[in-house]
Amino acid sequence: MLKRLLPLALATFAVGTDGYVIAGLLPSIATDLDVSTPVAGQLVTVFALVLAVSAPVMGAITSGLNRRSALLIALSVFVVGNAITALGTGYGVVMIARVVTAIGAGIITSAASSTAAAIAPAERRGTALAFVLGGLTVATALGLPLGTLIGRTDWHITLWAVAGIGLIAAVGIAVGLPKVTLPAASLTDRLRPLKQGRVLGLLVVTALAFLGAYTLYTYIGPALRETTGGSDSLLTVILLAWGVGTLAGNIAAGRLVDRRNPAHVLTATLIIAVLALALTPVATNALTPALAWAAIWGVTVGVIVVPQQHRLIVLSPAAAPVLLGLNSSAIYLGVALGGGLGGLVQESFAIAPAELGLPAAGVTVLALFHHLATARRRTNHTPTTPAPAPATSEKARG
């Protein structure tokens, strides 16, 4: 079982690292491509936006394929996109390459998780999903700081490393994964839950929460330049503290949601996030408080997804795969809008990157208020979305 799941986890690790690592490399990328940091930040914005929009579309287009074929196609696009990014010497070429990469990445996570659920025995399905999606969590904790450290001399090296990880995952999937066939789902089927007010309300909370976080996080390198004195090594240490905090928050969130009301867990998390973001200018004046600040903020980012996923599944257990896919798109939509807002604020209002914590806190307050309004609404009926048909799995010969 582990041999089959490992390349899936490696694929999600590659996607997670690719999505996060550009933020840590922005100063180098901006200098190399001869653009401003806010303009370079739009590489993060466009990647996340394309991923958010293309994921349900490409998922519908490839739904008729067995999951192994879909994953191999997606990983091929992902690897080629990262290779073109690494070879790019101009901003336009790199931007196009990020679009291509995002289209491939949009299929990988959902296809990997659905494959893991299909090939695992029912009693081990939760463990299999946690293992495969753990690639994203590990990417947050380790992929970003390691990628930043590797790329401190040349950011192209990091992109080549990500492409290499994607290639290894593709080989592992081609060799060790059985054919898994899932019922085809049209784009209309995938978007139908958006007509339900409760579902849409929860997805808006997710998008706003990540919009707030990534208004600052997209520009975390420039924001911490004075704190680190321009040292890439110190920046890596702070990013590691953020990543470890995110990992700890993700682990703690599971236990908290099992024991507490998920809505209350999210309320407390968003309040702490608002405080952490608002205190950014003060907390980042020196290295020691910056480390504590990064870890605390990281915990809040790590917690957010779990209660939101839990609340969506409770709304309609039968439609869980579709709802979680939409939640993933909401996350990346928030990331995209956050990068765009952070760049716009810097360009339009001459706000320094280190001061982005304040507008980020303001957006997070909006997320908190919308969450509180959503949590107060009573559900008078259970949304009815048809349950997906069971998957079939057959071992690939040879």
Side-chain angles (χ1 to χ4, degrees):
M1 178 63 65
L2 182 60
K3 291 181 180 179
R4 294 177 177 179
L5 296 177
L6 187 57
L8 298 176
L10 197 60
T12 61
F13 174 78
V15 170
T17 301
D18 196 41
Y20 287 114
V21 77
I22 295 295
L25 300 173
L26 273 189
S28 300
I29 293 174
T31 299
D32 199 33
L33 299 180
D34 194 26
V35 296
S36 67
T37 298
V39 171
Q42 301 319 300
L43 294 171
V44 177
T45 299
V46 171
F47 176 88
L49 183 59
V50 172
L51 196 157
V53 174
S54 69
V57 176
M58 296 307 297
I61 291 174
T62 60
S63 64
L65 300 174
N66 70 72
R67 295 299 84 192
R68 185 174 66 183
S69 296
L71 280 165
L72 289 176
I73 292 172
L75 281 165
S76 297
V77 173
F78 178 81
V79 169
V80 169
N82 274 292
I84 296 174
T85 304
L87 291 170
T89 56
Y91 182 76
V93 172
V94 172
M95 178 63 80
I96 293 171
R98 294 309 289 165
V99 170
V100 172
T101 305
I103 291 173
I107 307 173
I108 293 172
T109 301
S110 60
S113 58
S114 61
T115 302
I119 64 177
E123 67 275 10
R124 298 178 61 186
R125 193 162 293 156
T127 301
L129 284 170
F131 182 80
V132 170
L133 294 178
L136 293 173
T137 305
V138 174
T140 304
L142 300 177
L144 171 60
L146 287 177
T148 304
L149 185 62
I150 293 171
R152 64 180 179 176
T153 53
D154 186 350
W155 62 271
H156 301 83
I157 298 175
T158 298
L159 276 301
W160 281 118
V162 172
I165 294 171
L167 184 60
I168 293 171
V171 171
I173 288 170
V175 172
L177 197 68
K179 290 183 179 178
V180 176
T181 303
L182 296 172
S186 68
L187 182 60
T188 301
D189 293 334
R190 293 169 183 268
L191 298 181
R192 186 173 291 118
L194 293 177
K195 295 180 180 179
Q196 302 167 11
R198 284 279 289 169
V199 170
L200 186 59
L202 289 175
L203 294 177
V204 169
V205 172
T206 296
L208 284 173
F210 279 87
L211 195 163
Y214 276 79
T215 296
L216 171 61
Y217 186 79
T218 303
Y219 305 95
I220 193 67
L224 295 175
R225 185 174 288 126
E226 291 188 11
T227 308
T228 62
S231 169
D232 290 325
S233 297
L234 290 180
L235 174 61
T236 300
V237 172
I238 296 176
L239 293 177
L240 182 60
W242 187 88
V244 171
T246 304
L247 180 60
N250 187 263
I251 294 172
R255 297 179 180 179
L256 287 170
V257 166
D258 285 341
R259 299 175 183 177
R260 307 284 183 182
N261 184 324
H264 295 167
V265 172
L266 186 60
T267 299
T269 299
L270 290 175
I271 291 173
I272 295 172
V274 169
L275 294 174
L277 290 167
L279 291 173
T280 299
V282 177
T284 57
N285 279 333
L287 181 60
T288 300
L291 288 170
W293 164 83
I296 293 170
W297 179 33
V299 168
T300 66
V301 175
V303 169
I304 291 170
V305 176
V306 178
Q308 287 296 87
Q309 288 179 330
H310 185 280
R311 297 168 75 196
L312 285 167
I313 292 173
V314 168
L315 281 179
S316 183
V322 172
L323 293 176
L324 295 183
L326 290 173
N327 195 54
S328 178
S329 289
I331 290 172
Y332 281 103
L333 178 61
V335 172
L337 295 176
L341 178 61
L344 179 65
V345 167
Q346 291 177 77
E347 292 283 359
S348 301
F349 301 100
I351 290 180
E355 298 172 347
L356 287 173
L358 295 177
V363 174
T364 307
V365 168
L366 293 179
L368 174 62
F369 286 163
H370 187 71
H371 159 63
L372 292 174
T374 302
R376 289 193 187 102
R377 296 173 190 163
R378 294 183 178 180
T379 305
N380 296 320
H381 65 280
T382 301
T384 55
T385 304
T392 60
S393 172
E394 56 177 289
K395 292 185 179 179
R397 296 182 180 179

